[in-house]
Amino acid sequence: MAGDGLTRTRFAPSPTGLLHLGHAFAALTAARLADPGEFLLRIEDIDRDRCRAAFEAAIFQDLRWLGLDWPVPVMRQSERMPAYAQSLAGLDAMGLLYPCGCRRGDIRAALSAPQEGASVMGPDGLVYPGTCRGRRMAEAGPEDAIRLNADRALAVTGALAFMDKGLRHELSTESFISGIGDVILARRGWGTSYHLAVTVDDAAQGITLVTRGADLFEATWIHVLLQQLLELPTPSYWHHILIRDDEGRRLAKRDDARSLRELRDAGATPSKIRQMIGFDNSTSAPSRTAV
Ligand code: GLU
């Protein structure tokens, strides 16, 4: 596992729909960058309302059809709640968490108050103005989310850094506080959030190279902060381009993006799919030289 010197990547889809070309690109990128090494699959199913067993089954089938293979058993985030609770408890013991009952409308209203500065968009939407920052964890109720106090957290860690495609990126404590802020680590009724789950699980699986879309680049600062607070290793990153349609729209944002299944039923072969996303062993496909 971790520390064995092997490159280990993962593809981590949420079973909330059928895989499309953008997913194929992400999965093939992860698999190629793990060669030689190990490519893992992880099912990110913490959003119980939107995840479906049928979509999970379709993920396995479609990836196998594409020619991918991975070790079993596959990690499922819905089975990892104790690990997330333990990490949250650790952060709580450090005095870094607070409960927050604000809804989006409350946040917008607070930000429009005259004494507030300009609204800033962070990786999770509007940077939280800190309305609930004075609340204590002892008063957390079922209607609350749990937020990380960014000021206090960054006082522990100092500035952050990670490697993306072999290049070092840095972020000052001030930039995190003003541009990302007090992020949610446990959504109301969920027991975790994407940020906490992905950080804890990448470490648990010994992932050495996280590959994912460039849209998650800014979110990586949150994960690097959590790694430091939880004393987990920071992997290397490879934020890849997003596959777009002819009009330049991201496939993931389109409801009618054609699924791999539809393309297959219409006669596409796995090598045709690879070709459609520039993955036919040509120079446009990613190589590991810069990792
Ligand atoms: N489940 C996330 C997604 O579908 C994975 C993102 C990541 O790789 O960290 O976008």
Side-chain angles (χ1 to χ4, degrees):
M1 265 291 273
D4 57 12
L6 215 59
T7 296
R8 195 172 280 109
T9 66
R10 84 315 192 261
F11 175 53
S14 296
T16 55
L18 291 170
L19 298 185
H20 54 66
L21 287 175
H23 294 111
F25 183 82
L28 289 167
T29 298
R32 176 165 293 183
L33 292 172
D35 185 17
E38 193 169 42
F39 164 74
L40 302 182
L41 177 64
R42 182 171 71 228
I43 298 295
E44 303 217 319
D45 56 351
I46 50 176
D47 184 350
R48 303 308 293 160
D49 292 338
R50 292 177 59 225
C51 293
R52 300 278 176 275
F55 290 134
E56 184 182 305
I59 288 171
F60 295 141
Q61 285 168 9
D62 292 351
L63 293 179
R64 288 219 176 86
W65 176 71
L66 269 182
L68 295 172
D69 199 12
W70 52 88
V72 289
V74 166
M75 181 180 277
R76 267 190 200 83
Q77 291 193 323
S78 56
E79 294 165 1
R80 301 265 305 145
M81 291 302 155
Y84 310 142
Q86 195 186 344
S87 299
L88 269 184
L91 297 171
D92 184 22
M94 294 167 77
L96 302 179
L97 305 181
Y98 63 88
C100 171
C102 293
R103 301 289 186 267
R104 270 200 199 92
D106 302 324
I107 295 173
R108 273 197 297 270
L111 284 167
S112 65
Q115 71 275 17
E116 285 291 336
S119 302
V120 177
M121 285 305 266
D124 288 342
L126 286 170
V127 171
Y128 183 61
T131 318
C132 291
R133 205 175 279 148
R135 292 183 59 200
R136 298 160 53 84
M137 283 297 280
E139 29 169 287
E143 292 301 304
D144 287 318
I146 306 296
R147 287 186 185 272
L148 180 71
N149 182 319
D151 287 54
R152 285 198 202 155
L154 285 143
V156 175
T157 65
L160 305 174
F162 68 86
M163 302 292 285
D164 181 76
K165 298 190 178 118
L167 289 179
R168 185 179 158 87
H169 295 258
E170 291 177 21
L171 189 73
S172 67
T173 57
E174 298 77 24
S175 298
F176 191 111
I177 290 164
S178 62
I180 300 176
D182 292 359
V183 289
I184 290 184
L185 294 189
R187 290 178 57 168
R188 184 162 47 102
W190 280 28
T192 185
S193 68
Y194 159 68
H195 300 303
L196 183 69
V198 81
T199 304
V200 170
D201 290 344
D202 281 338
Q205 293 193 290
I207 302 300
T208 62
L209 177 64
V210 171
T211 67
R212 59 184 175 211
D215 54 331
L216 287 166
F217 187 96
E218 294 302 324
T220 296
W221 294 118
I222 302 166
H223 308 165
V224 172
L225 174 60
L226 290 174
Q227 286 149 9
Q228 295 216 9
L229 295 170
L230 296 167
E231 297 182 8
L232 303 173
T234 292
S236 295
Y237 289 85
W238 185 290
H239 292 96
H240 59 70
I241 56 160
L242 301 169
I243 299 289
R244 294 174 192 274
D245 67 9
D246 294 341
E247 279 96 57
R249 289 175 299 179
R250 273 182 56 196
L251 278 182
K253 295 282 179 207
R254 284 183 42 176
D255 296 334
D256 64 340
R258 290 178 77 193
S259 63
L260 295 179
R261 199 147 279 234
E262 261 180 87
L263 292 165
R264 184 185 67 191
D265 291 347
T269 59
S271 57
K272 172 73 182 164
I273 300 286
R274 285 171 191 252
Q275 205 186 340
M276 286 169 82
I277 52 180
F279 231 101
D280 51 354
N281 290 320
S282 71
T283 48
S284 60
S287 81
R288 265 188 64 193
T289 46
V291 179

